[in-house]
Amino acid sequence: MTNRLFFPFFALFFWFSAPAQSPYKPWMIGEFTKQHAANPVLDARATTTFACPVRKETVRWEEKDVFNPAVVVRKGKIHLIYRAEDTVGKHAGTSRLGLATSTDGLHFKRRPEPVFYPDNDAMNVYEWEGGCEDPRIVESPGRVYVMTYTAYDGDKARLCVATSRNLVTWKKQGLAFDDLKYRNGWSKSGSIVCKRIGSRIVAQKINGKYWMYWGDQPQLYCASSPDLIHWTPVETTDGKLYAVAERRKEKYDSRLLEPGPPALLTANGIVLLYNGMNLPKDGDRDLPEGTYAAGQLLFDASDPTKLLDRSETYFMKPDQPYEIVGQVNNVCFIEGLVPYKGQWFLYYGTADSKIAVTTAPLK
């Protein structure tokens, strides 16, 4: 009798005292820790104005929300290119891209005007009046910054490309997918495959081509390019988009997958940090409807279309007030990742309203 009673009590003690299982696998980047004392590192500001060339009036261009940033290290500083919205127009907010810099990754100094925005140019038909959204930036081997961004005309999102040598003056290169087949389709969120070189994140060719993960659908897609400007989606033999990863039932990514920062070539393969959206009816029942949480995917280093592994659960979810309540509730949307002063700095949009950061040791 004594032995039979001892075992259940011992097992119960062990169950309560055992540490929670880590969401990290050996190949993943992390472990990340949210910087609560500094977060949010950027929020909306009503005091900065901009003379909009399209609207022909002055707007408070970052009054409504700031979120979803790209990030690079340049001349020893972190440069954050972030999405900001005003409060006017038929969408109650046009998106433009601002620039802020930091010497510690936590405290930022902003430029008073946006560095990228809808203008009276050839891209106006795609960008007005929804705006320019959700940038991701890499360096080319020739030290040119290449930015993928979403142009939104109020009807369709279209993935676009722009280039710069200084992060302030940009040249719009046009639609990423300019082929007639994809020109008027929905596309966004371009994550170009890169390699870390010191503090730089540099685009890397694989089998003679550059590669990019893209999309915000139940399937994740891939594209290739000879020059980082003109992209061709990977297709199946019957001419349909080829899915390199898919949503999962009973998981945090049950609704869709959307790329986060530029994908990284590592010793284990290509690691893509991504955003998963949850639908509780066939997803993670412990997460609220529409939650965006972050996971990681591992692809073959010699075949970017071949999925090798993926995180079983999220490594980050909304759990702070500014992540739970905002323009869109329950959102941690990761988008910018850089190595800086011995750490990874991962920047993300919170509830489509503010910007926060989480860090991890460099390995």
Side-chain angles (χ1 to χ4, degrees):
M1 288 291 293
T2 302
N3 287 340
R4 289 180 182 178
L5 286 172
F6 175 75
F7 178 78
F9 279 114
F10 176 81
L12 188 63
F13 171 78
F14 180 79
W15 182 80
F16 276 115
S17 62
Q21 186 176 1
S22 171
Y24 290 89
K25 295 184 177 183
W27 55 265
M28 292 172 64
I29 296 172
E31 303 179 357
F32 285 97
T33 302
K34 292 179 181 178
Q35 296 302 305
H36 295 303
N39 284 336
V41 297
L42 222 65
D43 56 13
R45 180 176 287 180
T47 57
T48 47
T49 60
F50 174 63
C52 176
V54 183
R55 200 175 295 284
K56 293 183 170 45
E57 62 184 53
T58 298
V59 296
R60 294 185 179 91
W61 64 279
E62 54 182 347
E63 180 179 18
K64 183 180 178 183
D65 299 288
V66 299
F67 53 117
N68 296 6
V71 63
V72 300
V73 175
R74 172 179 165 81
K75 295 183 178 180
K77 295 181 180 181
I78 286 184
H79 289 65
L80 198 74
I81 301 281
Y82 62 96
R83 175 180 172 185
E85 291 181 324
D86 61 28
T87 61
V88 299
K90 63 183 179 181
H91 303 299
T94 295
S95 293
R96 301 172 182 86
L97 305 182
L99 173 60
T101 59
S102 174
T103 57
D104 65 3
L106 304 175
H107 305 90
F108 285 86
K109 181 179 180 180
R110 309 188 220 202
R111 292 179 67 93
E113 294 189 340
V115 296
F116 197 86
Y117 47 85
D119 205 341
N120 297 306
D121 54 26
M123 293 301 293
N124 179 275
V125 64
Y126 303 117
E127 296 174 355
W128 192 255
E129 64 183 272
C132 305
E133 305 176 354
D134 299 357
R136 292 158 176 85
I137 300 175
V138 304
E139 283 190 62
S140 74
R143 291 184 177 266
V144 173
Y145 296 106
V146 179
M147 178 171 70
T148 61
Y149 72 98
T150 300
Y152 183 57
D153 62 3
D155 177 52
K156 287 187 178 65
R158 293 176 174 87
L159 188 59
C160 300
V161 180
T163 56
S164 174
R165 289 193 176 273
N166 60 13
L167 300 175
V168 176
T169 304
W170 290 89
K171 180 179 180 181
K172 295 178 181 180
Q173 299 286 354
L175 301 176
F177 308 136
D178 201 21
D179 183 272
L180 184 61
K181 180 177 180 180
Y182 293 103
R183 186 180 303 161
N184 292 313
W186 183 279
S187 61
K188 62 183 303 189
S189 302
S191 171
I192 296 171
V193 177
C194 297
K195 186 175 182 179
R196 176 195 164 205
I197 302 177
S199 62
R200 301 166 60 214
I201 302 296
V202 182
Q204 187 82 8
K205 282 187 174 180
I206 300 172
N207 301 325
K209 300 177 182 179
Y210 295 107
W211 295 85
M212 173 175 70
Y213 300 100
W214 64 280
D216 63 335
Q217 303 296 321
Q219 289 91 20
L220 181 69
Y221 304 121
C222 195
S224 65
S225 170
D227 58 7
L228 295 170
I229 306 297
H230 307 92
W231 293 87
T232 302
V234 176
E235 296 182 335
T236 61
T237 54
D238 58 355
K240 296 180 180 179
L241 288 172
Y242 180 79
V244 297
E246 301 193 37
R247 74 183 189 96
R248 297 175 294 180
K249 290 185 177 181
E250 301 181 0
K251 300 286 186 178
Y252 63 98
D253 50 12
S254 58
R255 169 63 180 86
L256 60 79
L257 303 83
E258 189 166 355
L264 286 173
L265 267 168
T266 73
N268 297 301
I270 301 168
V271 179
L272 174 65
L273 280 67
Y274 75 99
N275 302 284
M277 183 183 178
N278 185 57
L279 285 181
K281 65 179 181 181
D282 62 357
D284 188 327
R285 297 182 184 275
D286 293 329
L287 294 176
E289 182 87 13
T291 293
Y292 276 83
Q296 301 189 33
L297 298 162
L298 180 67
F299 294 93
D300 192 304
S302 60
D303 181 1
T305 69
K306 184 179 179 181
L307 181 65
L308 300 178
D309 199 5
R310 65 195 299 175
S311 49
E312 294 303 318
T313 187
Y314 48 82
F315 68 88
M316 185 170 71
K317 68 170 183 176
D319 56 20
Q320 300 301 304
Y322 51 86
E323 299 166 347
I324 295 171
V325 178
Q327 180 181 185
V328 180
N329 293 341
N330 298 301
V331 173
C332 285
F333 193 89
I334 58 173
E335 199 159 308
L337 176 70
V338 286
Y340 188 65
K341 296 184 177 180
Q343 296 187 89
W344 286 111
F345 283 74
L346 175 60
Y347 294 88
Y348 60 101
T350 69
D352 281 10
S353 301
K354 297 177 174 64
I355 293 170
V357 65
T358 181
T359 61
L362 279 174
K363 296 178 181 179

